[in-house]
Amino acid sequence: MASAGGADPSPPPRPLVFAFYLTGHGFGHATRAVEVVRHLVAAGHEVHVATAVPEFVFTAEVRSPRLRIRRVLLDCGAVQADALTVDPLATLEKYRETAVVPRESILRAESEWLSSIKADLVVSDVVPVVCRAAADMGVRSVCIANFSWDFIYAEYIMEAGYHDRSIVWQIAEDYAHCDILLRLPGYGPMPAFRNVIDVPLVVRGLRKSRSEVRKELGLEENAKVLVFNFGGQPAGWKLKQEWLPDGWICLVCGASNSQDVPPNFIKLAKDAYTPDVLAASDCMLGKIGYGAASEVLAYKLPLVFVRRDYFNEEPFLRNLLEHYQNSIEMIRSDFLTGHWKPYLLRALTLRPCYNGPINGGEVVAQILQDTAIGKECISDKFSGARRLQDAIVSGYQRQRAPGRDVRIPDWYSLSETETGAGPTSKNVAINETAASRCFEDFEILHGDLQGLTDTMDFLKSLSELNRNILESSEKQYQERTAASVLFDWEKEIYIARAPGRLDVMGGIADYSGSLVLQVSFGSELSNRAPTFDMGLSDFMDGEKPISYEKAREFFCQNPSQKWAAYVAGTILVLMTELGVQFTDSISILVSSAVPEGKGVSSSASVEVATMSAIASAYGLNINPRDLALLCQKVENHVVGAPCGVMDQMASACGEANKLLAMVCQPAEVKELVSIPTHMRFWGLDSGIRHSVGGGDYGSVRVGTYMGRKMIKCAASDLVSESLASEAPVESGCHKENATGLLKSEAALEYLCNIPPHRYEAAYAKDIPEAISGDAFLEKYGDHNDTVTVIDPKRSYSVKAPTRHPIYENFRVETFKTLLAAGSTDEQLSALGELMYQCHNSYSACGLGSDGTDRLVNLVQEMQHRTISKGGSPSLFGAKITGGGSGGTICVIGKNCSRSSEEIVEIQQRYKAATGYLPILFDGLSPGAAKFGYLKIRWRHS
């Protein structure tokens, strides 16, 4: 019955030697490796497996003197706190200890070992460094994978800070030495590999029939059987009898000897053969990994899974499973509290339909053998780093060979938007019949759609959610199942909307009190919407709300909950700052079209929309400015990101076709400046993920506040000197006036209140380029910023971060004044020059990136190319936006067709150079206050 069996590879002229390296992460890699090894050994070859996985995993399956096991750890995979939780920071630290620090000795040792065993081919699943070791030895290498560690770690470095990006770059460079990637179904982006062959599922075959397995376990043929399997990680959960539907039996994999289980749970032996157990069961409860996904697909077993955070391969495997109607998600809180029954009963209604090949072990073994003897396995038609849909990993740049075919299977295309690898923009066409149907479904009790397509889409989605419950049995993707039971459809629903923002000028100077100019816009790229639930009592400490610090700890204790701080944090802020008391339960559905990590304020838009909806539902009258400040508290104190207030202000107070001019002292809307009709702004995404919670943004903010403290102390010293001296401190100034000026600077609250000429004359020469944390603390005490902390062991740049907001405020004021000037090329050139200056100032602070620099340079090239030919340019300037360190640039140009054509050319040239097609942000929309809110009610048919 072994479906993955079949004929073993036809023998080559002589037995071959394979060095098979296996990652230290999870048993899924080991189980598929065993299947490949089994075919190689059966063909008469010698296989040396280098791994940290226990030896019995291999020897239980393959008993042969031609199999050799070598215990070695060359990577660490992902460090898990438990079966559902990865620790990103601990993972990076462990990888650094395991593979970065000893890198040179690893390369030497592996080269010697490969030479000693006379390896014909190096096989890796998917240890990066051995690809380089093989290349150094002149031995070909092949990777077998559905993901690669550069993609997985790319998200982790967002937690640790931009300085860890070298880890990802090194991994990607190592993979680039690999000759062929054998890519398994359920794959994610793997941009480092040049040559790719898609192979079938690698699945272990069956040894016994369903009846034989059930008989051995003492199970009746008609009994409903659940497999409880969370991989090689010991869980230690206390299982309870009432968690199962009546009459069900649960088979527990990996239980410890000391773990007690109820009578309707059966502990399986450590060496139980999982494929046989799965094929003899009715459904499985576990997590999504390659091993579980491949086997439930092969044996058509419904999977009820619990989401894991920071497992970046999970969305792609999930899409594969859902494409074949093979899985549903169980919310983590329901899993931990034993609310299993609805999910298990729902799983029985699934009709798994995967009929693809599952002989990947045989296919892979044949390709490995052919590659080892020098046979060419890559065809011109389907080779190269094709089908990767322009993926880019944390600034790593790859070249795509021209003319290579791009074929993307259905299940992969479903996940394109999750990785930012989708098309540049998505055309939104509301089907008139569907749109009118959704308006018939709901009665609008308050508010106006204002012709916004995203709002109409959202209403349509709500209609489909409810009608799916009532009528449809079709499979629902992603969180639709959970969302469909979120609301009591008999009650009124409140809808609020908030846009992202494009930072035209001002940027990081907002927390220094600068004038900033922002555009609120509507992006139409899908974003994922995870599920989360908690009790309102978790926010209470007796009769009072818990502190922000405790809330931050609550959301940080489990990575799967951390994102929810942006949403649930609005409730705590309203409780704390306004004394609002929430007694009823609150159900919130968030649908975001503002992509994450692009520097366009996805977090601020979620915060503003959520708080606006809650305020509407509870009759809270909060003016837009105050709502923005409250949302900033969410980000600063609950999330823990040290952002300024401009993002929330733009999202809350912005208007279509206008720049929002605000003075961030702390947040005052100065005016709404109409965008002249002859000019236009665009946003271009670099593909490099931006995060204001990252290390660089925070360290620049610390440096800025250090500079402010130094200026205040210097001014205070000058005041003392002035009072003790007969002569005025400032030449040409009356002593009284000079002293008054110094006193105001000694009490300085915002750096932007110092004009550039005053800074240069009085303070610039005394501001150091950089200073260590301990030296600053010893001399000045604290830096007086409530949202950042000085690390005594770290060195902080001071001069550039101090200078930036002072000069940026001047640039923004000039920019605003120029907007009202005549519509000439000189006006646009001056505006563009100010943007270029701003961009360079970001870079001086350490907040630039290769990707954003490349895009700005492309804009400059377009401009200068036209000028050199004696023409009038269409594009005039560009700058990095928001918190910098990646994300999006803002471009200014003429409002004409040639500008749009040049923007498209920039996208294509960037793609040609990096492999990534920049997302284009275009179009303007009203802020949350201008939109107001909708109150709707379901019409009973």
Side-chain angles (χ1 to χ4, degrees):
M1 295 181 65
S3 303
D8 286 305
S10 55
R14 64 176 178 85
L16 301 169
V17 177
F18 294 90
F20 204 130
Y21 288 90
L22 196 62
T23 186
H25 176 75
F27 278 7
H29 298 264
T31 56
R32 69 191 184 202
V34 166
E35 186 65 14
V36 175
V37 168
R38 183 173 68 82
H39 284 281
L40 290 173
V41 170
H45 303 306
E46 186 175 303
V47 182
H48 296 253
V49 178
T51 181
V53 174
E55 187 171 329
F56 76 85
V57 174
F58 289 88
T59 55
E61 298 280 327
V62 183
R63 297 178 177 87
S64 170
R66 292 191 295 275
L67 171 63
R68 314 282 179 85
I69 307 296
R70 171 187 171 221
R71 293 281 292 174
V72 64
L73 180 66
L74 300 179
D75 73 351
C76 64
V79 176
Q80 296 182 228
D82 56 45
L84 296 176
T85 308
V86 164
D87 187 333
L89 302 186
T91 296
L92 292 174
E93 184 58 34
K94 182 69 174 177
Y95 187 84
R96 189 182 299 280
E97 294 174 2
T98 306
V100 177
V101 174
R103 177 177 174 82
E104 294 306 318
S105 61
I106 288 174
L107 289 171
R108 286 195 300 271
E110 296 316 303
S111 296
E112 292 172 2
W113 182 66
L114 292 173
S115 177
S116 69
I117 65 172
K118 297 181 172 59
D120 293 294
L121 185 72
V122 169
V123 186
S124 177
D125 184 356
V126 252
V127 182
V129 69
V130 299
C131 299
R132 174 59 185 271
D136 290 347
M137 291 294 295
V139 179
R140 301 186 77 182
S141 62
V142 176
C143 283
I144 308 169
N146 62 295
F147 70 85
S148 56
W149 288 114
D150 48 353
F151 178 69
I152 301 302
Y153 288 172
E155 183 177 3
Y156 297 178
I157 67 171
M158 293 303 107
E159 294 295 306
Y162 201 49
H163 56 280
D164 278 317
R165 63 181 179 173
S166 60
I167 289 179
V168 172
W169 287 356
Q170 185 63 71
I171 292 173
E173 184 180 330
D174 286 341
Y175 284 144
H177 290 284
C178 173
D179 292 277
I180 302 172
L181 167 66
L182 302 183
R183 190 168 59 183
L184 296 162
Y187 59 81
M190 290 181 276
F193 295 95
R194 296 186 301 274
N195 297 309
V196 181
I197 299 176
D198 284 319
V199 295
L201 284 174
V202 176
V203 183
R204 292 178 292 176
L206 300 180
R207 299 173 179 172
K208 299 176 182 177
S209 69
R210 174 186 173 95
S211 298
E212 289 174 327
V213 174
R214 287 197 168 219
K215 184 176 181 180
E216 288 181 3
L217 295 173
L219 302 174
E220 296 180 4
E221 277 295 320
N222 61 348
K224 295 300 179 189
V225 178
L226 168 70
V227 177
F228 183 87
N229 186 2
F230 281 84
Q233 287 283 332
W237 292 303
K238 186 172 179 60
L239 305 171
K240 297 183 180 180
Q241 182 173 351
E242 61 269 22
W243 291 1
L244 298 180
D246 293 341
W248 281 55
I249 298 295
C250 180
L251 306 178
V252 183
C253 300
S256 65
N257 294 331
S258 60
Q259 184 177 357
D260 295 325
V261 296
N264 52 348
F265 288 73
I266 299 173
K267 291 198 296 186
L268 294 176
K270 293 285 187 183
D271 60 351
Y273 189 60
T274 306
D276 285 349
V277 174
L278 293 177
S281 302
D282 295 285
C283 70
M284 172 180 161
L285 173 57
K287 59 188 180 182
I288 294 181
Y290 178 84
S294 61
E295 289 175 352
V296 298
L297 282 167
Y299 303 121
K300 294 182 171 58
L301 184 71
L303 169 66
V304 179
F305 68 90
V306 184
R307 182 194 293 270
R308 302 178 294 173
D309 219 25
Y310 294 112
F311 281 80
N312 291 6
E313 72 270 31
E314 182 175 288
F316 301 93
L317 290 168
R318 174 177 180 166
N319 286 331
L320 177 64
L321 289 165
E322 291 183 341
H323 184 71
Y324 293 106
Q325 303 182 39
N326 227 114
S327 67
I328 60 170
E329 178 188 358
M330 180 184 290
I331 296 173
R332 182 179 296 200
S333 62
D334 286 342
F335 169 70
L336 296 174
T337 57
H339 187 61
W340 295 4
K341 295 178 184 177
Y343 298 96
L344 301 181
L345 295 175
R346 171 71 189 284
L348 295 185
T349 68
L350 297 177
R351 295 293 178 264
C353 58
Y354 181 78
N355 287 313
I358 57 174
N359 64 333
E362 173 190 348
V363 172
V364 168
Q366 183 67 60
I367 293 173
L368 295 179
Q369 176 185 283
D370 291 346
T371 304
I373 61 177
K375 189 174 180 179
E376 185 57 59
C377 298
I378 297 291
S379 70
D380 289 338
K381 186 176 181 181
F382 298 121
S383 64
R386 55 167 178 81
R387 308 179 302 261
L388 295 179
Q389 199 71 5
D390 307 314
I392 190 168
V393 177
S394 194
Y396 174 75
Q397 299 174 357
R398 64 182 178 83
Q399 295 289 339
R400 284 180 57 181
R404 297 289 171 82
D405 178 67
V406 179
R407 285 176 48 222
I408 301 175
D410 292 341
W411 57 263
Y412 185 81
S413 64
L414 295 171
S415 64
E416 289 170 4
T417 53
E418 295 204 19
T419 61
T424 309
S425 62
K426 184 168 67 177
N427 294 326
V428 177
I430 303 292
N431 179 282
E432 291 185 5
T433 302
S436 60
R437 173 68 175 273
C438 82
F439 297 138
E440 291 174 1
D441 289 341
F442 292 108
E443 179 184 1
I444 298 179
L445 304 175
H446 178 275
D448 181 6
L449 293 172
Q450 301 182 25
L452 295 166
T453 56
D454 55 7
T455 308
M456 289 189 280
D457 274 344
F458 186 65
L459 277 182
K460 181 170 173 278
S461 297
L462 285 179
S463 175
E464 290 171 350
L465 285 177
N466 198 12
R467 289 195 172 276
N468 275 339
I469 295 175
L470 300 174
E471 301 171 0
S472 176
S473 61
E474 70 176 11
K475 175 173 63 73
Q476 299 178 5
Y477 290 95
Q478 303 296 336
E479 284 75 25
R480 294 179 64 85
T481 303
S484 65
V485 296
L486 183 66
F487 292 123
D488 180 348
W489 297 96
E490 300 296 318
K491 295 184 177 180
E492 295 166 347
I493 297 174
Y494 292 81
I495 298 173
R497 173 194 181 279
R501 69 95 187 94
L502 185 63
D503 160 33
V504 177
M505 288 291 287
I508 58 167
D510 60 341
Y511 54 70
S512 295
S514 175
L515 174 71
V516 296
L517 297 173
Q518 307 284 309
V519 175
S520 57
F521 70 92
S523 166
E524 290 165 348
L525 290 173
S526 299
N527 213 344
R528 56 188 174 91
T531 54
F532 169 81
D533 64 314
M534 64 178 292
L536 285 171
S537 59
D538 291 330
F539 275 155
M540 297 302 294
D541 184 4
E543 299 296 319
K544 300 186 303 182
I546 62 173
S547 67
Y548 291 141
E549 183 179 1
K550 286 184 178 179
R552 187 161 62 251
E553 291 173 357
F554 173 81
F555 288 111
C556 287
Q557 67 186 358
N558 189 328
S560 70
Q561 297 178 340
K562 189 173 182 181
W563 67 269
Y566 294 99
V567 178
T570 61
I571 297 172
L572 178 62
V573 168
L574 289 172
M575 294 166 65
T576 302
E577 304 299 329
L578 301 186
V580 180
Q581 295 183 351
F582 297 99
T583 55
D584 302 326
S585 63
I586 305 173
S587 299
I588 302 173
L589 175 62
V590 179
S591 175
S592 178
V594 183
E596 298 176 28
K598 306 299 183 186
V600 290
S601 300
S602 58
S603 59
S605 61
V606 167
E607 293 155 0
V608 171
T610 302
M611 189 173 287
S612 298
I614 294 172
S616 302
Y618 285 85
L620 305 176
N621 186 16
I622 308 173
N623 69 55
R625 172 190 177 275
D626 291 344
L627 187 136
L629 287 169
L630 290 169
C631 290
Q632 184 196 18
K633 287 183 181 293
V634 175
E635 190 132 0
N636 285 171
H637 302 304
V638 182
V639 177
C643 69
V645 74
M646 72 171 186
D647 295 354
Q648 291 81 4
M649 286 289 288
S651 189
C653 306
E655 293 187 18
N657 302 313
K658 293 182 180 179
L659 289 169
L660 182 71
M662 71 189 91
V663 178
C664 302
Q665 300 188 14
E668 303 296 337
V669 175
K670 194 167 184 178
E671 60 184 299
L672 286 159
V673 182
S674 295
I675 299 174
T677 56
H678 69 283
M679 70 176 64
R680 188 172 176 182
F681 296 99
W682 298 265
L684 286 173
D685 161 47
S686 66
I688 300 174
R689 187 179 174 93
H690 151 87
S691 170
V692 296
D696 288 301
Y697 180 91
S699 65
V700 170
R701 177 167 176 146
V702 170
T704 303
Y705 276 81
M706 284 178 165
R708 186 190 69 165
K709 185 65 172 284
M710 292 175 180
I711 289 173
K712 291 175 69 173
C713 290
S716 182
D717 291 343
L718 289 172
V719 169
S720 299
E721 292 177 20
S722 176
L723 295 175
S725 170
E726 293 292 330
V729 175
E730 295 287 327
S731 60
C733 294
H734 190 277
K735 179 177 180 180
E736 184 177 333
N737 293 338
T739 303
L741 177 61
L742 290 170
K743 284 182 177 180
S744 68
E745 291 167 350
L748 183 69
E749 189 170 359
Y750 298 103
L751 271 177
C752 290
N753 290 339
I754 298 181
H757 77 273
R758 175 65 183 167
Y759 167 74
E760 295 293 346
Y763 302 110
K765 63 183 182 299
D766 296 321
I767 303 295
E769 291 290 339
I771 191 172
S772 65
D774 54 1
F776 178 87
L777 292 170
E778 182 179 352
K779 184 173 182 179
Y780 296 100
D782 196 16
H783 65 329
N784 304 124
D785 180 21
T786 59
V787 297
T788 57
V789 177
I790 295 175
D791 182 352
K793 298 179 181 179
R794 183 168 184 174
S795 177
Y796 293 93
S797 174
V798 178
K799 199 175 195 73
T802 302
R803 190 178 190 274
H804 175 82
I806 295 170
Y807 278 83
E808 184 69 359
N809 189 54
F810 175 77
R811 284 190 289 265
V812 179
E813 290 279 8
T814 306
F815 194 98
K816 187 173 79 70
T817 301
L818 282 170
L819 284 172
S823 55
T824 64
D825 282 6
E826 288 76 14
Q827 175 210 32
L828 288 168
S829 294
L831 293 170
E833 175 60 27
L834 291 170
M835 294 177 74
Y836 288 140
Q837 289 180 19
C838 174
H839 180 80
N840 293 334
S841 186
Y842 263 77
S843 297
C845 291
L847 293 176
S849 75
D850 294 341
T852 50
D853 285 348
R854 183 184 292 274
L855 283 171
V856 170
N857 288 338
L858 286 171
V859 173
Q860 289 177 331
E861 287 178 22
M862 289 287 184
Q863 182 182 4
H864 297 152
R865 182 182 69 185
T866 306
I867 294 173
S868 67
K869 294 179 180 179
S872 173
S874 298
L875 303 181
F876 289 85
K879 63 176 281 289
I880 195 171
T881 65
S885 297
T888 298
I889 70 162
C890 176
V891 183
I892 186 174
K894 289 180 180 176
N895 188 10
C896 64
S897 59
R898 189 153 64 91
S899 296
S900 298
E901 292 169 0
E902 290 184 348
I903 290 290
V904 171
E905 183 179 343
I906 289 171
Q907 288 178 282
Q908 295 301 326
R909 289 177 62 182
Y910 188 85
K911 178 184 176 183
T914 68
Y916 178 80
L917 184 65
I919 296 170
L920 173 63
F921 301 109
D922 192 12
L924 307 171
S925 69
K930 198 70 175 175
F931 176 79
Y933 69 93
L934 293 178
K935 181 165 70 170
I936 64 173
R937 182 168 54 206
W938 180 262
R939 296 181 192 269
H940 294 279
S941 53

